């Protein structure tokens, strides 16, 4: 015998669960990369409070407030020394400061179905614009970029600040926040948290993802699956 009986044992009999290599949990956020609507190459689209122009998101803030949907090839060199306003992923990113930084009341919201007591991880990228080296004009983008997060309409906001810089373009920094759902829907709100002074007229947001944290039972099953596979590999080597 060359170990054929051991190799013939079905994986399911060993209680093995195999996860696809590199698989990610489903993103519960719709239009998290702001790719809808399409923006013309090298341009941007201003979207005002109450507008339905950004699918799945609601624009909130004071009357007259707005956000800018920026296409990745958009340039301001001249007049402000930044080219391009590169998105983190895809073709679009969102500037929560709007036209010339309209203040901290403006933001976007989306309601997502959740399971009470389940943990979720919200991940996103904050972009900071920096003028190119040697630029001597008006520095409209000298300050840090701050995006505020609020859950379920809460007054308390969590602030996420990108202080990094990549001269002449947008620097993107990853952030995440894990929370436990308290209702069957969770309202996720992002606000401009960038101060007017020093000049900081860009707070980029891109690649927003909401993923359920694997439950302990699922993690244990995956671990047992990995052990089972290791055992089968050992058995094959012994049988060879």
């Amino acid at each position: 015998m060359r170990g054929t009986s051991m190799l013939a044992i079905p994986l399911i009999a060993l209680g093995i669960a195999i996860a696809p290599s590199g698989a990610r949990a489903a993103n519960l956020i719709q239009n998290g990369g702001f790719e809808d609507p399409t923006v013309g190459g090298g341009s941007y689209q201003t979207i005002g409070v109450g507008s339905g122009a950004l699918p799945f998101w609601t624009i909130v803030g004071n009357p007259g407030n707005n956000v800018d949907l920026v296409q990745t090839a958009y340039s301001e060199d001249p007049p402000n020394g930044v080219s391009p306003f590169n998105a983190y992923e895809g073709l679009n990113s969102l500037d929560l400061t709007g036209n010339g930084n309209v203040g901290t009341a403006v933001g976007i919201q989306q309601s997502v179905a959740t399971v009470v007591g389940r943990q979720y991880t919200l991940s996103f990228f904050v972009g900071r614009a920096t003028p190119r080296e040697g630029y001597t004009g008006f520095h409209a983008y000298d300050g840090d970029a701050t995006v505020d997060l609020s859950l379920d309409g809460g007054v308390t906001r969590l602030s996420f600040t990108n202080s990094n810089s990549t001269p002449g373009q947008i620097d993107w920094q990853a952030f995440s926040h894990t929370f436990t759902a308290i209702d069957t829907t969770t309202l996720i709100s992002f606000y401009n948290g960038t101060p007017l002074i020093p000049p900081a007229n860009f707070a980029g947001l891109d690649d927003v993802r909401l993923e359920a944290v694997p439950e302990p039972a699922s993690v244990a099953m995956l671990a047992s699956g990995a052990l089972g596979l290791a055992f089968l590999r050992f058995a094959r080597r012994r049988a060879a």
Side-chain angles (χ1 to χ4, degrees):
M1 299 288 290
R2 293 178 57 83
T4 54
S5 60
M6 176 60 70
L7 296 179
I9 297 175
L11 295 182
I12 190 66
L14 293 176
I16 296 174
I18 304 175
S21 177
R24 293 189 66 177
N27 185 10
L28 303 178
I29 292 288
Q30 301 291 323
N31 198 22
F34 310 110
E35 298 303 299
D36 189 9
T38 300
V39 180
S43 64
Y44 68 93
Q45 178 179 341
T46 298
I47 304 175
V49 169
S51 170
L54 190 64
F56 300 102
W57 295 97
T58 300
I59 313 300
V60 296
N62 296 324
N65 284 175
N66 54 70
V67 296
D68 285 336
L69 188 62
V70 186
Q71 204 270 351
T72 193
Y74 174 66
S75 173
E76 288 187 3
D77 190 15
N80 295 312
V82 180
S83 177
F85 279 71
N86 48 291
Y88 172 74
E89 59 89 28
L91 295 177
N92 297 340
S93 64
L94 195 71
D95 175 14
L96 288 174
T97 68
N99 280 341
N101 200 338
V102 299
T104 57
V106 68
I108 60 172
Q109 297 179 336
Q110 184 174 147
S111 291
V112 182
T114 49
V115 177
V116 176
R118 185 76 185 270
Q119 280 196 319
Y120 295 85
T121 296
L122 181 67
S123 61
F124 52 93
F125 286 79
V126 174
R128 179 193 179 193
T130 305
R132 58 176 167 78
E133 293 179 352
Y135 174 71
T136 59
F138 176 69
H139 283 238
Y141 301 109
D142 275 357
D144 298 339
T146 298
V147 169
D148 290 344
L149 169 66
S150 172
L151 297 175
D152 293 314
V155 176
T156 300
R157 298 184 183 184
L158 301 174
S159 292
F160 301 87
T161 298
N162 182 355
S163 301
N164 302 326
S165 65
T166 302
Q169 59 181 326
I170 310 302
D171 178 277
W172 291 99
Q173 183 175 352
F175 293 96
S176 65
H177 175 67
T178 298
F179 64 93
T180 301
I182 60 175
D183 205 339
T184 54
T185 59
T186 298
L187 179 64
I188 296 173
S189 305
F190 291 100
Y191 293 94
N192 171 35
T194 306
L196 297 173
I197 300 176
N201 297 336
F202 186 86
L205 181 66
D206 204 359
D207 197 21
V208 180
R209 297 186 61 89
L210 181 66
E211 300 173 347
V213 175
E215 295 178 324
S218 300
V219 174
M221 185 174 293
L222 289 173
S224 67
L227 290 174
L229 286 175
F231 177 75
L232 286 179
R233 292 191 184 101
F234 174 77
R236 289 191 181 99
R237 287 196 298 268
R238 291 291 300 272

